Amino acid sequence: MTQKVLVVEDELLLNQQLTDLLENAGYEAVGVTDGNSAFAAFQDFNPDLVLLDVMLPGKTGIEVCREIRTVSGVPIIMLTAKTEDEHVVEGLEAGADDYILKPMPSFKVLQARIEARLRPMRQSEVSELILGPLVIDVLGHEVRRDGVRVPLTPLEFNLLQTLAEAPKQVFKREDLLKKVWGYHYDADTRLVNVHVQRLRSKIEDDPDNPKIVVTERGVGYKAGQF
């Protein structure tokens, strides 16, 4: 089945270029040029991935990202100008999985990011993992705490699964970028830090005093010992 990408970008020429390039690469693509119509387009098109510009007329990309996250864990890649670097963390905190700076170095870079986010979830040798109060249903891609489902995005699930499968290992941020994001080159470690914070906000009793996903100061992150 052809995978679908929603492009939310107010620069008409760039929007058209992106949709054309995506369709030439084998995707089905739809373009939207303002924030106010983006969420309705998302519901109508039901995309597999969203490319979302930060600065939009009407609702901002940050607001649109939050709207989408109320109903879906679909991968979201934020598009942001280099002069808007302060929006990167804000976009990630709103629920974006990744970001790329404009002007983009090449379509190949963007396509690689898209393919990484659309790659099927990796297979595991176990069907279930226990991490403290969490039951991680690997086959069902679901996490429960005290019998209650914890809503995680696919990326957050993959991050938690990676840590839980190696409970004694401390993962450097660069290692998590490779295993979870699929990046085999230097990338922004803020991706890891912000997603760990988001994950903690959903699974920890006290995100400021985490017990399930623990920081190893100066190194990275590991699963808590129970």
Side-chain angles (χ1 to χ4, degrees):
M1 182 178 295
T2 302
Q3 292 176 306
K4 300 189 292 185
V5 178
L6 176 66
V7 179
V8 187
E9 166 60 61
D10 67 313
E11 295 180 40
L12 291 174
L13 180 59
L14 178 57
N15 192 309
Q16 189 61 58
Q17 288 175 335
L18 287 172
T19 53
D20 288 346
L21 287 166
L22 286 164
E23 288 180 347
N24 290 337
Y27 298 98
E28 183 180 350
V30 165
V32 178
T33 57
D34 68 275
N36 289 338
S37 59
F39 186 62
F42 172 82
Q43 292 179 307
D44 291 339
F45 188 46
N46 191 27
D48 299 291
L49 182 140
V50 179
L51 292 179
L52 180 59
D53 189 22
V54 170
M55 301 301 292
L56 296 166
K59 293 178 181 176
T60 68
I62 305 297
E63 292 173 302
V64 174
C65 185
R66 291 194 184 106
E67 277 190 304
I68 292 173
R69 280 290 172 258
T70 64
V71 298
S72 174
V74 66
I76 298 174
I77 299 177
M78 301 292 290
L79 304 176
T80 179
K82 291 181 179 179
T83 56
E84 302 162 355
D85 190 58
E86 72 275 9
H87 292 145
V88 169
V89 172
E90 188 179 5
L92 295 173
E93 289 175 342
D97 298 281
D98 197 359
Y99 76 94
I100 191 165
L101 296 176
K102 297 190 298 182
M104 286 171 279
S106 72
F107 179 69
K108 286 185 177 180
V109 172
L110 178 60
Q111 187 175 4
R113 298 284 185 96
I114 291 172
E115 290 175 353
R117 296 283 58 78
L118 292 176
R119 192 171 294 127
M121 297 285 285
R122 61 188 177 82
Q123 298 299 310
S124 175
E125 296 180 358
V126 299
S127 60
E128 184 178 274
L129 295 163
I130 305 296
L131 182 56
L134 302 181
V135 177
I136 304 169
D137 179 358
V138 177
L139 297 180
H141 300 294
E142 188 173 88
V143 175
R144 291 188 175 274
R145 178 169 182 151
D146 300 325
V148 178
R149 180 177 175 273
V150 180
L152 300 181
T153 67
L155 192 143
E156 289 165 350
F157 183 93
N158 194 6
L159 176 58
L160 180 62
Q161 179 186 342
T162 297
L163 295 171
E165 285 179 337
K168 296 182 179 180
Q169 180 176 346
V170 178
F171 289 90
K172 295 181 180 179
R173 292 166 178 83
E174 293 80 6
D175 294 335
L176 289 171
L177 282 170
K178 292 177 182 178
K179 291 183 68 67
V180 178
W181 276 261
Y183 295 163
H184 297 285
Y185 49 85
D186 290 339
D188 189 348
T189 56
R190 287 181 298 181
L191 286 171
V192 179
N193 296 337
V194 175
H195 278 81
V196 166
Q197 292 171 9
R198 276 174 42 194
L199 180 60
R200 284 171 171 168
S201 73
K202 297 180 179 183
I203 64 174
E204 300 278 2
D205 283 327
D206 180 3
D208 294 326
N209 185 29
K211 304 296 184 184
I212 301 173
V213 176
V214 180
T215 301
E216 191 72 18
R217 192 170 299 278
V219 184
Y221 301 102
K222 65 178 181 180
Q225 301 299 303
F226 294 91

